[in-house]
């Protein structure tokens, strides 16, 4: 029997229900405050107050739950802490203004909350279920906005792509959330951790929303990430082999029969030149790399900013980190992927390992056209879920058994027990 996705993860030994609330607050904090125009105009200051309030509340709740500060040793969290230190060093000169120090404070609360939650990382899919439920709730709000006002949800400003009409979400954000929960739900279904009906409830509407966003990065990340994840199970899982075979067959049929439609969806009406320079991203990247910098700025960066250069979004995690945390920050992020990838490859095949591979590979693919690996973001939350899946199960400490008094024997049968 599978388990409904709405159920809590482990049994009595699992984390308190408050942990799921904390995870939801972290996700709310990383939704951002900039995006499409909403049906009911929301002042950006109000959204920022809500997102920062969510982070402060998450940290406070995590601290209350873990007053004894019991944490798990984690190379991932150590590297995030090192990235935080680099961010403070680069922001201290205020080249990016006082906003850089505020972003450092936010990153401090974010990383500290992850440290406090590490106590409940045990290699189970608990945080996977949290992730799916919370992001599916976000997608429900997107769908509600689409039903309430199709014009606001698919504005001409974004080329008719789906945006958040109730909360300001951009098409890449929606595509990312949909792709991640689709991949994770498919892997839960293959391991029979959920029912077909529950999985369909998540997968089908998420696929529709992903298609409406026309987000190429999320689509490629989903396909490649799932291929790598399921490929890691092919030798040990008959269900994975069947799914892989059917997926290849279906992809072949769809690719041949709907090639022109798929090409039109992929190009999004763009010219060949606009497509080749990644919708203008390449021009921003070239300008960023050509900008003069001192040695200190090259090594430590300019300080935490809004992931833009010259007023235009950078849309590349590696260049965004280089701009804000320098070559030192790029090295730290690279080590994060090397460590997580190495640990995943060294683990024996398992559904948890497959889900971690999916998340790691998705973040690596998305890092080319999306920023976020150097600051509090959904991508760091995805990698955190991967770390929780790769963590060794906690072993309960056995309490000493009270000694039971020996019964006295008759005097003639007394013996001395040396052992």
């Amino acid at each position: 029997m599978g388990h409904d996705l709405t159920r809590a993860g482990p049994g009595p030994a699992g984390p308190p229900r408050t942990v799921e609330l904390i995870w939801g607050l972290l996700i709310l904090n990383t939704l951002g405050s900039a995006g499409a125009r909403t049906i009911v105009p929301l002042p950006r200051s109000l959204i920022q107050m809500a997102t920062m309030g969510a982070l402060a509340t998450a940290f406070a709740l995590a601290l209350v739950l873990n007053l004894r500060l019991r944490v798990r040793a984690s190379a991932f969290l150590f590297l995030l802490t090192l990235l935080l230190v680099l961010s403070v060093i680069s922001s201290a000169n205020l080249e990016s203004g006082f906003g850089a120090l505020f972003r450092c404070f936010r990153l401090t609360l974010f990383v500290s909350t992850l440290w406090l939650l590490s106590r409940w990382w045990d290699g189970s899919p608990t945080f996977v279920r949290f992730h799916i439920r919370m992001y599916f709730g976000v997608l429900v709000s997107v769908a509600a906005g689409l039903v309430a006002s199709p014009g606001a949800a698919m504005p001409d400003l974004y080329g008719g792509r789906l945006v958040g009409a109730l909360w300001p979400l951009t098409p890449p954000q929606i595509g990312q959330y949909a792709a991640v929960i689709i991949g994770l739900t498919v892997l839960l279904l293959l391991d029979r951790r959920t029912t077909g009906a529950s999985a369909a409830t998540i997968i089908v509407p998420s696929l529709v929303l992903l298609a409406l966003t026309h987000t190429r990065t999320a689509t490629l990340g989903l396909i490649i990430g799932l291929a790598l994840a399921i490929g890691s199970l092919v030798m040990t899982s008959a269900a994975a082999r069947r799914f892989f075979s059917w997926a290849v067959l279906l992809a072949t049929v769809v690719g041949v029969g709907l090639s022109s439609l798929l090409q039109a969806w992929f190009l999004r009406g763009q010219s060949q030149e606009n497509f080749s320079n990644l919708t203008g991203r390449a021009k921003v990247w070239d300008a960023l790399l050509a900008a003069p910098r001192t040695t200190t700025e090259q090594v430590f960066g300019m300080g935490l900013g809004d992931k833009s250069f010259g007023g235009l979004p950078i849309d590349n995690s590696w260049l965004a980190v280089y701009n804000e945390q320098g070559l030192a920050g790029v090295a730290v992020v690279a080590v994060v992927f090397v460590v997580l990838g190495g640990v995943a490859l060294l683990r024996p095949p398992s559904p948890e390992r497959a889900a971690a591979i999916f998340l790691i590979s998705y973040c690596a693919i998305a890092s080319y056209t999306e920023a976020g690996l150097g600051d509090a973001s959904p991508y760091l939350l995805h990698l955190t879920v991967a770390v929780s899946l790769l963590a060794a199960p906690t072993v309960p400490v056995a309490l000493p058994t009270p000694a039971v008094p020996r019964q006295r024997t008759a005097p003639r049968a007394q013996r001395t027990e040396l052992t």
Side-chain angles (χ1 to χ4, degrees), residues 142-275:
V142 174
L146 176 61
V147 172
S149 178
M154 303 186 72
D156 294 334
L157 179 63
Y158 284 88
R161 301 169 65 191
L162 180 65
V163 301
L166 299 181
W167 184 279
L169 298 174
T170 62
Q173 285 180 283
I174 300 170
Q176 175 198 161
Y177 306 153
V180 167
I181 67 173
I182 289 169
L184 292 176
T185 305
V186 166
L187 294 173
L188 284 180
L189 181 62
L190 288 179
D191 191 42
R192 298 181 180 178
R193 299 285 183 94
T194 185
T195 63
S198 296
T201 302
I202 300 291
I203 294 173
V204 174
S206 298
L207 276 173
V208 173
L209 296 181
L210 174 59
L212 292 176
T213 64
H214 286 257
T215 306
R216 296 178 291 231
T217 299
T219 304
L220 289 176
L222 171 63
I223 295 172
I224 297 174
L226 266 184
L228 294 174
I230 295 174
S232 70
L233 292 172
V234 164
M235 300 302 294
T236 58
S237 170
R241 289 192 292 270
R242 287 193 300 270
F243 182 89
F244 191 81
S245 301
W246 280 106
V248 171
L249 178 62
L250 181 63
T252 303
V253 172
V254 172
V256 173
L258 303 175
S259 58
S260 59
L261 183 62
L262 290 175
Q263 184 178 12
W265 181 90
F266 199 77
L267 289 176
R268 298 199 308 240
Q270 295 175 338
S271 65
Q272 189 64 34
E273 179 184 358
N274 199 20
F275 177 74

Side-chain angles (χ1 to χ4, degrees), residues 15 19 39 43 58 67 125 158 168 271 281 304 310-311 329 337-338 349 389 395 399:
V19 173
I39 299 174
L67 281 175
Y158 284 88
S271 65
R281 288 184 177 96
L304 289 185
F337 279 102
V338 171
L389 290 165
V395 179
L399 297 175

Side-chain angles (χ1 to χ4, degrees), residues 78-369:
F78 171 78
L79 291 169
L80 287 190
T81 305
L82 179 58
L83 191 64
L84 170 61
V85 172
L86 291 174
S87 301
V88 173
I89 293 174
S90 62
S91 302
N93 56 17
L94 299 180
E95 287 191 36
S96 298
F98 286 99
L101 295 180
F102 176 78
R103 292 183 178 94
C104 287
F105 173 71
R106 176 192 177 215
L107 184 57
T108 301
L109 288 182
F110 185 85
V111 175
S112 299
T113 304
L114 295 183
W115 271 111
L116 292 171
L117 292 181
S118 66
R119 171 183 177 181
W120 291 283
W121 299 349
D122 58 0
S124 72
T126 300
F127 282 85
V128 170
R129 295 181 184 277
F130 293 169
H131 219 49
I132 293 173
R133 285 197 287 264
M134 295 303 169
Y135 276 122
F136 186 69
V138 175
L139 294 183
V140 167
S141 74
V142 174
L146 176 61
V147 172
S149 178
M154 303 186 72
D156 294 334
L157 179 63
Y158 284 88
R161 301 169 65 191
L162 180 65
V163 301
L166 299 181
W167 184 279
L169 298 174
T170 62
Q173 285 180 283
I174 300 170
Q176 175 198 161
Y177 306 153
V180 167
I181 67 173
I182 289 169
L184 292 176
T185 305
V186 166
L187 294 173
L188 284 180
L189 181 62
L190 288 179
D191 191 42
R192 298 181 180 178
R193 299 285 183 94
T194 185
T195 63
S198 296
T201 302
I202 300 291
I203 294 173
V204 174
S206 298
L207 276 173
V208 173
L209 296 181
L210 174 59
L212 292 176
T213 64
H214 286 257
T215 306
R216 296 178 291 231
T217 299
T219 304
L220 289 176
L222 171 63
I223 295 172
I224 297 174
L226 266 184
L228 294 174
I230 295 174
S232 70
L233 292 172
V234 164
M235 300 302 294
T236 58
S237 170
R241 289 192 292 270
R242 287 193 300 270
F243 182 89
F244 191 81
S245 301
W246 280 106
V248 171
L249 178 62
L250 181 63
T252 303
V253 172
V254 172
V256 173
L258 303 175
S259 58
S260 59
L261 183 62
L262 290 175
Q263 184 178 12
W265 181 90
F266 199 77
L267 289 176
R268 298 199 308 240
Q270 295 175 338
S271 65
Q272 189 64 34
E273 179 184 358
N274 199 20
F275 177 74
S276 62
N277 63 31
L278 298 174
T279 322
R281 288 184 177 96
K283 296 179 181 179
V284 179
W285 299 347
D286 292 340
L288 188 152
L289 292 173
R293 295 173 185 269
T294 65
T295 302
T296 301
E297 291 171 344
Q298 284 186 331
V299 176
F300 295 107
M302 310 286 288
L304 289 185
D306 59 359
K307 314 298 176 287
S308 67
F309 181 80
L312 296 173
I314 296 174
D315 285 340
N316 179 291
S317 283
W318 302 97
L319 291 179
V321 171
Y322 168 69
N323 184 54
E324 296 182 357
Q325 290 124 324
L327 294 174
V330 172
V332 171
V333 174
V335 173
V336 167
F337 279 102
V338 171
V339 169
L340 294 185
V343 172
L345 292 176
L346 292 175
R347 290 283 191 270
S350 69
E352 289 77 16
R353 173 184 182 244
I357 289 174
F358 168 74
L359 291 169
I360 296 167
S361 57
Y362 181 90
C363 291
I365 293 166
S367 68
Y368 186 65
T369 58

